[in-house]
Amino acid sequence: AEMQGQPNYLCVLPWHDAQEAENLGVEKGLAVSDAPCMVGFKCPVRNQCNYYIDLAKAGRSKIVATTYAYQLRSMGDINEADWIIADEGHFLASHDSQAHKVELPVQSIEQLKTAYLHAKGMYDRIEEPTARKRVLARYIDNLQLGLTLLTEEPQLMDVPPVNGLWTLQPTTTSFVQGVITSKKRLVIMSATILDPELYALINNISQYEYIKLPWQFPAYSRPIYYIPQAKVNRDTYPIVDGPLARGVEWVLKERPNVKGLIHSVSFDLAQRVYNALGEDTKERVILHQSGMNRHQLLQAFREVDAPVWIMSPGFGEGEDFPYDAARSQIILKIPYPNLGDPWVRRMRDKFKKWYLYTTAQSLWQMYGRVCRADDDFGDTFILDQNFENIVKDKQLIPKEIEDAIV
């Protein structure tokens, strides 16, 4: 069975009982996560709701596939499993932290506790599952989560507020400990664990068995060409667009008959480099701009037969480009986490090697987009001089990848 998060399902009440929906303030398009059933309403059309239909299927199924977001925030809904398999587990800490992020007004802990008790009292006095009660339920959940985070990590109070709001995001993960407490078995899978000791530290794992399987794709089928053009960071964007564009032009001339990817890490860098390309090269490049429909753009790229390349910050992980779907790729910038994010800065300060470690994980995920089978072939061109910061630390580059550098 497949289970998605509650925001992916629509409340069906307006389609089946318009009067009841109007009484409860439910309009068409309301997500299940904000529906009256979330605050105790016994919905008369629950058996026609896709969310509860899928939930029932998940309860009966021996195998359930779901997202990290749903599993991390709704573990109680489908908790009968003996085994939990976390695929693409390299960013488990990030998913866990994101699932428990909350925004709260800037107040002392005592003021937040008072606000929680006041909101809880108002909630209990409202008998009908009205829109007001649903808003209060969300507010109470946020206050409760925020108070828990501030109790466990008091330093979160030092996070600078924005527009009078704290964005609280934990650096201590709780998912693995929750699994251990429930006595379930957890298997975390990823091609980019890299350093199991550091991974265990970041994810709050005290006991584990690490199993490394051999790589199936020979190094000659996935070569890496390091062609340094510039040291790329946000401060150098205005002066590196030209050198990077010349590098892109050279690669595309060397690969005239294949489709490929150009990983830009940001929309800003993609636009700058695209603007600096010669007209002949631009004819072969599809530019992914902010606001474009990502799915439609990707579908168009997959369907075109011409040797075009797509330049985007959004295809470095989780996408599959086997065989002729893409035979080559260019990495314009090493994917360092954004230090403008307070959570990134706290993680960097808390774990000595986290920043470079996470960067390496993202880089090798990019590398894996174009060679997808033992009989496939895809080469990678890296243009950013910061690549040298990664390869000099042997814990950040598996020997199987190091052997592929030409």
Side-chain angles (χ1 to χ4, degrees), residues 156-172:
L156 287 174
M157 297 188 74
D158 299 329
V159 174
V162 177
N163 298 325
L165 291 174
W166 268 330
T167 298
L168 306 179
Q169 187 173 354
T171 58
T172 301

Side-chain angles (χ1 to χ4, degrees), residues 114-360:
T114 300
Y116 171 78
L117 293 174
H118 179 66
K120 190 70 168 59
M122 293 177 62
Y123 176 89
D124 291 339
R125 287 193 295 272
I126 301 175
E127 295 183 0
E128 296 296 322
T130 59
R132 178 171 174 76
K133 185 164 187 174
R134 299 196 299 274
V135 170
L136 277 170
R138 179 65 59 87
Y139 179 55
I140 290 167
D141 285 346
N142 285 347
L143 284 171
Q144 191 170 29
L145 176 57
L147 285 166
T148 299
L149 294 179
L150 289 170
T151 301
E152 294 176 350
E153 296 188 50
Q155 62 272 27
L156 287 174
M157 297 188 74
D158 299 329
V159 174
V162 177
N163 298 325
L165 291 174
W166 268 330
T167 298
L168 306 179
Q169 187 173 354
T171 58
T172 301
T173 60
S174 58
F175 171 68
V176 174
Q177 288 304 311
V179 173
I180 293 172
T181 301
S182 64
K183 297 182 180 180
K184 302 179 189 298
R185 293 176 175 86
L186 174 64
V187 178
I188 301 173
M189 301 191 303
S190 173
T192 54
I193 295 293
L194 303 182
D195 182 341
E197 291 185 7
L198 180 57
Y199 182 89
L201 180 64
I202 292 169
N203 287 279
N204 199 21
I205 302 172
S206 56
Q207 294 182 337
Y208 62 91
E209 179 183 0
Y210 177 63
I211 302 172
K212 182 178 179 180
L213 301 178
W215 282 55
Q216 300 299 310
F217 311 159
Y220 63 78
S221 69
R222 45 181 175 81
I224 298 172
Y225 300 97
Y226 174 45
I227 307 175
Q229 300 297 303
K231 185 165 283 192
V232 187
N233 56 56
R234 288 190 177 275
D235 293 335
T236 63
Y237 278 9
I239 60 174
V240 301
D241 51 355
L244 292 176
R246 302 295 80 78
V248 171
E249 290 170 348
W250 182 86
V251 173
L252 266 64
K253 286 179 181 177
E254 291 292 309
R255 300 290 183 269
N257 301 313
V258 302
K259 296 170 69 174
L261 315 174
I262 305 172
H263 301 286
S264 65
V265 178
S266 75
F267 287 112
D268 184 15
L269 184 61
Q271 186 69 64
R272 289 174 182 272
V273 173
Y274 180 83
N275 291 343
L277 293 173
E279 292 303 318
D280 289 346
T281 305
K282 283 183 179 178
E283 291 180 0
R284 291 184 61 195
V285 176
I286 299 172
L287 176 64
H288 183 187
Q289 295 176 298
S290 179
M292 285 184 171
N293 186 302
R294 180 181 180 277
H295 175 75
Q296 291 179 359
L297 191 71
L298 181 57
Q299 192 64 27
F301 171 72
R302 292 188 187 280
E303 292 176 354
V304 70
D305 290 330
V308 297
W309 292 56
I310 187 166
M311 183 185 293
S312 171
F315 302 133
E317 181 188 1
E319 295 294 348
D320 189 33
F321 298 92
Y323 304 105
D324 289 339
R327 289 289 182 183
S328 190
Q329 62 183 345
I330 300 170
I331 297 175
L332 298 178
K333 181 183 183 299
I334 301 302
Y336 289 101
N338 179 15
L339 285 171
D341 185 334
W343 180 79
V344 169
R345 294 197 300 272
R346 294 202 319 276
M347 290 294 286
R348 178 200 59 182
D349 295 341
K350 182 174 182 178
F351 302 106
K352 182 179 178 182
K353 289 183 63 175
W354 176 86
Y355 193 66
L356 275 180
Y357 174 72
T358 302
T359 301

Side-chain angles (χ1 to χ4, degrees), residues 88 217 318-323 365 368-378:
E88 302 292 349
F217 311 159
E319 295 294 348
D320 189 33
F321 298 92
Y323 304 105
Q365 285 294 318
R369 293 313 94 204
V370 296
C371 184
R372 308 294 294 176
D374 55 8
D375 60 345
D376 196 359
F377 177 88

